[in-house]
Amino acid sequence: MSYDAHITRAEDWPESEEYPITLDELKEYFQTKKDFHYSTSFSSTGPVSLTIAGEFFIWNYGCPLPFLERSSDCRQP
């Protein structure tokens, strides 16, 4: 199961396109968070191993929890 998490500086989701956050701003913000790191890919191993390319902010919360940056897809859900 997956969920979309939307990071925006707007007060309401419909206004998020008016106040976009750039990838560089996200990188700068998450650099200050000790449990996060940035990567251009995410890999997982187990019964099946895979690597996915993209702009990932990975939260280390006991296990890695990847958040994929998708600023090009700012449509309202």
Side-chain angles (χ1 to χ4, degrees):
M1 188 179 309
S2 67
Y3 297 93
D4 285 343
H6 302 278
I7 299 172
T8 178
R9 69 182 89 220
E11 290 185 26
D12 295 306
W13 170 246
E15 298 173 357
S16 63
E17 289 184 31
E18 297 175 29
Y19 307 103
I21 297 174
T22 66
L23 178 59
D24 288 335
E25 288 176 298
L26 287 172
K27 287 179 183 178
E28 185 177 318
Y29 175 79
F30 282 108
Q31 280 180 346
T32 67
K33 307 302 176 192
K34 67 177 183 160
D35 295 338
F36 281 85
H37 72 275
Y38 169 79
S39 180
T40 56
S41 66
F42 177 73
S43 297
S44 179
T45 57
V48 175
S49 297
L50 62 95
T51 298
I52 302 169
E55 309 285 348
F56 287 93
F57 295 91
I58 301 171
W59 184 19
N60 296 309
Y61 188 72
C63 64
L65 300 171
F67 292 85
L68 175 63
E69 193 281 330
R70 299 186 315 166
S71 62
S72 61
D73 186 10
C74 290
R75 296 174 302 215
Q76 190 171 355

